[in-house]
Amino acid sequence: MARTHNLGFPRIGAQRELKFALESYWKGQSTRDELKAEGARLRRRHWQDQAGLDLVPVGDFAFYDQVLDMSFTLGNLPERVQGFHGDALDNYFRVARGRSAEEHAQCCGGVAAGEMTKWFDTNYHYIVPEFTAATEFRLDASRLLEQLDEARAQGVKAKPVIVGPVTYLALGKAKDDSDRLALLPRLLPVYAELLETLAAQGVEWVQIDEPLLVTELDADWQHAFNTAYHHLKSSRVKLLLATYFGQLAENQYLAANLPVAGLHIDAINGRDDIVPLLNLLPSHKVLSLGVINGRNIWKTDLDAVLDWLEPLAERLDDRLWIAPSCSLLHVPVDLASEHTLDAGITSWLAFALQKLDELKLLATALNQGRAAVAAELAANRAAVDARRSSPRVHNPAVQAALAAVTSALGRRHSPYPVRAARQAALLKLPPYPTTTIGSFPQTAEIRQARSRYKAGELDEAGYKAAMRAEIARSVREQEALGLDVLVHGEAERNDMVEYFGEQLDGYAFSQFGWVQSYGSRCVKPPILFGDISRPRPMTVDWITYAQSLTGKPMKGMLTGPVTLLNWSFVRDDQPRSASCTQLALAIREEVLDLEKAGMRVIQIDEAALREGLPLRRSQWKDYLDWAVESFRITANGVADETQIHTHMCYSEFNDIIASIAGMDADVITIETSRSDMELLDAFDDFKYPNEIGPGVYDIHSPNIPATAHIVQLMRKAAERIPAQRLWVNPDCGLKTRQWSEVIPALTNMVAAARTLRAST
């Protein structure tokens, strides 16, 4: 009998209840007890949603991030918060965002927030564990035990979920450049103690996540896996070691022979691993197969899955478990909530709850035969076939444009030094020019106007007037601050991807398809279901209006093709590279229209460039070739005098800096504030040829950066990059902040630029 289980469930709630509870608490509008009660309510509901599975995850719920939860479970707190007393949750939020609730800001103040970066190749951000050579670990299992007690009181067949020790070390950073693996002997006894604590609670299975196994490992990290799991093999609980997001490939033998009771592999991305693993896996071990895509929203072709799964079920019998490929954290909660999404497209989709239904159908078909679910399989077959044959998916004109693409589309007229001289003569900017990344606060007034407009309570003229008023406010504030290159503030935009997707043919949009990006930040990825085209200009009217209000240069603000791709739910019936080139052609049209309208500075954000990078270095070149070429197609139809900017945030890109240089943007702005300019280490060996703005203001924290600190960061940057090629800017857009935070922060940033100019 095949068993069913889940690796993790979305924690934000179908209506983003966790988001609103967190933000209420942080603003001092609700109490800590109220926040905890909302967390408990969400957990209860989510366990109910997973009823019918043989094992349900416990411990996958986090108030901010599961890796940060693991750091607190292991007693690995940064030194800067160790002196704080009071509720552990407040310290938790200090690490996550620099401070806890507003009510604690006066008594405890702010600290530097933990560094944040992408969870493998997803758009989820985790808080990076911090280590030094002196790091010690001490178990605090209270969070996990409390959730286990709650689950048992509800009758849940609980499977605790934890991040594995080797992946945990690999995810972290040694702040003193010490060897992270040297900490493994100190870390493993704490893991052993945690497993023994769970065994004492009667736990049978523990899911221990080691996605690091789908990456290329050197001998030291391979040895670390053997060391870790031989140390933990005496535990009284059974370990299900979970890998996901890719193939085991050369790590198959290592994974199959670790002394654990079961192994989970991602059968969506790692299908080629399955047959070899059957010959490697000892006969007593469970093999869990991730047969439902946990990262995309298309219905599973259940017939196709059963065709290859049934022979495996016969061979493995009760050693076969089935599950989603990874945690369902990466998909929305419930398709049944959708009432505005086109019915035809809805029939092609499955969100988290529907994916669990698919999983149960597969289990019934395996255990009782397909006849037991014949009607359900027939309905699934009809939906899958309808999508394949739909004329809405395929546009001959777009396919013809794709076939006509040549390398000439991706070339600028002149090399950067020629362009730079022409741009300098036109723009007349001072040394250390200041700008922001694009967005300004999305105020309650903006959100209310958008909500009323969508509800039909505000007509189009009234909505445009409200947005123009907010754009005018942004321009006034920037002029008063003394910024050099202005932005229109993006008042009219709900999200940097959704806004553009809504205006491109080939996209569809959910109403409640929210997915957690980090903490309380949720995004609603557009659904890229068909060939992409741009029916009409998308941003020109808004940005030309903003330019009419000022004599200073105004940046046209666009989202680039790679980010539009990587932050969408993307069709799976053609290569991602083809969809990306279609997006590049559409955004190129917008770039040219902005230039025609008089914009001489255009920013094309590629925040997600690195996010799409394959987890295996051997596969990087192919991705980077088409991703960089897509950006170049978008950006490079303009005249030399038009300055092209791009922006990237919260990613490690030191190892792809040559490809970033190959994008040939005139100016790149990047996140460096949380990493204390560590990301600029790449420029010790690589001489970046163009201009760069290292972000000096951490916009994800409410803390206000001091002028002296910004000056210090920029002087550190000037040690690697000539001062005449440096810009001063925040590390990301400001839409999530309040004006009361933005004004003093940008005041200090502009003051820092003036100090730097005075010393040049």
Side-chain angles (χ1 to χ4, degrees), residues 303-441:
D303 284 328
V305 172
L306 286 169
D307 286 343
W308 64 264
L309 196 54
E310 284 169 339
L312 299 179
E314 289 184 17
R315 180 170 175 179
L316 291 166
D317 196 24
D318 59 0
R319 291 169 53 217
L320 174 64
W321 293 12
I322 58 173
S325 58
C326 60
S327 170
L328 297 177
L329 173 72
H330 310 285
V331 295
V333 177
D334 188 7
L335 188 62
S337 301
E338 298 297 329
H339 303 297
T340 61
L341 188 59
D342 179 276
I345 293 173
T346 302
S347 70
W348 304 342
L349 307 179
F351 290 177
L353 290 179
Q354 289 70 43
K355 289 178 182 294
L356 295 180
D357 289 340
E358 290 180 333
L359 187 68
K360 294 168 191 173
L361 274 172
L362 288 171
T364 301
L366 290 172
N367 294 333
Q368 301 177 30
R370 296 196 197 195
V373 286
E376 292 89 343
L377 290 176
N380 173 266
R381 191 178 308 121
V384 170
D385 290 344
R387 180 182 164 219
R388 286 192 184 120
S389 60
S390 173
R392 301 179 64 184
V393 172
H394 308 287
N395 183 330
V398 175
Q399 293 293 334
L402 193 64
V405 169
T406 67
S407 60
L409 286 181
R411 289 197 294 266
R412 290 293 289 267
H413 300 295
S414 303
Y416 165 74
V418 174
R419 303 195 311 262
R422 292 174 178 171
Q423 291 161 16
L426 179 68
L427 296 173
K428 297 181 172 58
L429 298 174
Y432 293 102
T434 56
T435 190
T436 63
I437 302 306
S439 60
F440 274 105

Side-chain angles (χ1 to χ4, degrees), residues 163-292:
V163 179
V166 186
T167 293
Y168 179 77
L169 287 176
L171 292 175
K173 285 189 175 179
K175 307 303 281 187
D176 56 359
D177 295 323
S178 57
D179 179 11
R180 288 167 291 169
L181 282 178
L183 298 175
L184 190 61
R186 290 182 220 164
L187 181 61
L188 291 176
V190 181
Y191 268 87
E193 184 183 357
L194 173 58
L195 296 177
E196 182 57 32
T197 300
L198 293 172
Q201 296 296 312
V203 169
E204 181 183 9
W205 283 93
V206 172
Q207 176 185 316
I208 190 162
D209 288 357
E210 292 282 12
L212 189 68
L213 274 166
V214 303
T215 67
E216 291 159 335
L217 302 173
D218 64 24
D220 288 341
W221 287 95
Q222 290 175 5
H223 179 67
F225 272 106
N226 275 312
T227 299
Y229 287 92
H230 278 86
H231 184 95
L232 300 176
K233 69 180 180 181
S234 60
S235 168
R236 291 186 292 151
V237 297
K238 296 176 182 177
L239 295 182
L240 177 71
L241 189 146
T243 70
Y244 38 81
F245 299 150
Q247 295 178 296
L248 288 170
E250 75 281 358
N251 297 326
Q252 287 178 23
Y253 182 86
L254 170 64
N257 288 282
L258 291 174
V260 294
L263 176 66
H264 172 86
I265 65 168
D266 180 341
I268 302 299
N269 294 297
R271 177 80 68 86
D272 293 342
D273 288 336
I274 295 172
V275 173
L277 268 174
L278 291 176
N279 298 319
L280 292 172
L281 203 69
S283 60
H284 62 277
K285 284 190 182 179
V286 163
L287 179 60
S288 169
L289 297 179
V291 296
I292 305 290

Side-chain angles (χ1 to χ4, degrees), residues 661-697:
M663 295 166 69
D664 199 25
D666 298 304
V667 182
I668 178 175
T669 52
I670 58 175
E671 180 278 322
T672 52
S673 59
R674 282 204 177 191
S675 61
D676 195 31
M677 293 284 166
E678 179 184 306
L679 293 179
L680 296 186
D681 290 348
F683 303 114
D684 289 339
D685 300 315
F686 184 89
K687 302 305 177 187
Y688 188 77
N690 302 6
E691 296 168 49
I692 188 164
V696 292
Y697 160 22

Side-chain angles (χ1 to χ4, degrees), residues 435 475 478-479 483-488 550 552-555:
T435 190
V475 173
Q478 290 173 88
E479 289 201 312
L483 289 161
D484 300 306
V485 175
L486 311 191
V487 298
H488 78 294
T550 180
K552 290 189 172 184
M554 177 67 59
K555 271 196 292 191

